Amino acid sequence: MSDIIVTEHLAYTYPGMDDMPGVAVFEDMNLTVEEGSFVAILGTNGCGKSTLAKHFNSILLPCGGKVWVSGMDTSDENKLIAIRRNVGMVFQNPDNQIVATIVEDDVAFGPENLGISSPEIRRRVDNALKQVGMYEYREHAPHLLSGGQKQRVAIAGMLAMNLECLVLDEPTAMLDPRGRKEVMDVVKELNKKGMTVICITHYMDESVDADRGIVMSNGHIVKDGTPKQIFKSALELKSYGLELPKCTYIANKLIENGLPIQKDILTYSELEKELCKLFQKI
């Protein structure tokens, strides 16, 4: 598999105001994202994860170094449209991304701006809404939808652009548990179908199904590996202001209290299997 996103010695500084010095976020950020992978980027507020995400489709441009998307230099103005056709972003507040008064019109907005023919737009919109489970709401008003449903409409709008990579920046931060599950179920299903997914989050539970977890702190990558590797040390995560996924925390507490179950549990299904094995021995 090839790399869809590559950052080489990326540096970025937010400009200062009123002759004040700027705020440096990255000085030498190097990262690759493999095509078709599911990558979770984790970290506390202010660690630089959202700033990094905005470099993936040229919302922000490097102050130093390079960012490549499918071999295209994000600093090349002539490649801007092609890059944004490849990489789409979904932000934490879906209300900021919904532009139409009817769901299907909102999903059609992107393809229409690309000059896609009407029959092809119809096909893309229907297909995108079906993929996110929102086809039956195609004629509804977005403001009447729940937060999770709005976010799924926002994702459908990206899918209608025929993207190769979907970047989600805290997509569930404003949602209740049910809405978070709705959105993450859609995201995981899209990845299974071959789409590259990069999910920026501070909810550890949303990263357990990722192929790879990246922990950021103060503009640096401090951990990079599989979720089992990332969540191996609760003390190390705590030093970066992060906690274990809830299920892993529960499993560790059970182990501390003498239950002989495996140490690298990430999901409730894994915990259930371990407890069933244990009860069968009693």
Side-chain angles (χ1 to χ4, degrees):
M1 299 290 284
S2 59
D3 293 325
I4 191 169
I5 291 176
V6 177
T7 72
E8 295 179 343
H9 308 293
L10 172 63
Y12 185 77
T13 299
Y14 280 108
M17 298 179 64
D18 299 326
D19 298 324
M20 295 293 289
V23 178
V25 182
F26 313 120
E27 295 180 352
D28 188 20
M29 171 67 69
N30 295 283
L31 173 69
T32 60
V33 175
E34 190 176 78
E35 184 180 359
S37 62
F38 180 1
V39 178
I41 301 182
L42 313 171
T44 57
N45 291 336
C47 72
K49 58 187 187 294
S50 292
T51 300
L52 177 62
K54 290 173 183 175
H55 279 82
F56 294 159
N57 75 341
S58 300
I59 293 176
L60 295 177
L61 301 178
C63 295
K66 289 290 184 181
V67 178
W68 304 90
V69 173
S70 297
M72 296 178 285
D73 183 351
T74 62
S75 297
D76 184 347
E77 292 184 3
N78 295 321
K79 300 294 185 182
L80 180 60
I81 293 177
I83 287 169
R84 290 184 177 171
R85 283 182 176 179
N86 274 13
V87 180
M89 287 198 68
V90 173
F91 299 96
Q92 64 177 256
N93 189 346
D95 288 327
N96 293 340
Q97 290 185 262
I98 292 175
V99 297
T101 57
I102 301 295
V103 165
E104 62 182 6
D105 291 344
D106 188 79
V107 177
F109 181 78
E112 285 174 347
N113 282 321
L114 295 177
I116 307 297
S117 66
S118 294
E120 175 63 10
I121 290 174
R122 179 75 268 167
R123 187 192 69 80
R124 289 192 187 189
V125 169
D126 289 348
N127 184 53
L129 287 171
K130 288 175 183 177
Q131 286 190 75
V132 301
M134 290 297 292
Y135 182 73
E136 64 184 287
Y137 296 93
R138 62 192 180 279
E139 296 181 353
H140 282 52
H143 73 274
L144 298 178
L145 302 177
S146 69
Q149 289 172 327
K150 289 178 183 178
Q151 199 64 293
R152 284 189 280 161
V153 170
I155 292 173
M158 296 295 102
L159 296 181
M161 304 276 284
N162 278 2
L163 302 170
E164 295 181 13
C165 177
L166 182 64
V167 180
L168 302 111
D169 187 7
E170 304 279 7
T172 65
M174 301 184 70
L175 305 181
D176 59 21
R178 178 179 178 180
R180 288 203 294 270
K181 184 179 186 303
E182 288 176 355
V183 170
M184 292 311 299
D185 284 349
V186 166
V187 169
K188 286 182 279 190
E189 190 61 31
L190 292 173
N191 177 248
K192 287 179 183 178
K193 294 178 179 178
M195 178 171 285
T196 306
V197 171
I198 301 172
C199 185
I200 314 295
T201 184
H202 62 265
Y203 289 116
M204 300 301 100
D205 291 336
E206 293 179 355
S207 66
V208 297
D209 292 315
D211 302 312
R212 177 183 174 197
I214 295 172
V215 177
M216 291 185 60
S217 180
N218 297 319
H220 298 280
I221 294 175
V222 293
K223 287 182 74 68
D224 187 345
T226 65
K228 287 188 183 294
Q229 292 169 334
I230 291 294
F231 297 122
K232 190 173 183 179
S233 172
L235 287 176
E236 186 179 6
L237 279 179
K238 194 170 184 178
S239 71
Y240 301 127
L242 302 176
E243 302 290 341
L244 291 173
K246 291 184 179 65
C247 186
T248 306
Y249 175 82
I250 293 170
N252 285 358
K253 285 298 181 182
L254 292 175
I255 292 169
E256 289 174 10
N257 282 275
L259 288 185
I261 59 176
Q262 67 182 45
K263 295 181 179 180
D264 58 354
I265 290 174
L266 293 179
T267 67
Y268 287 104
S269 62
E270 290 177 344
L271 180 57
E272 181 182 5
K273 288 178 182 178
E274 285 296 303
L275 293 176
C276 286
K277 290 179 185 177
L278 186 62
F279 292 145
Q280 287 172 0
K281 296 177 182 178
I282 298 175

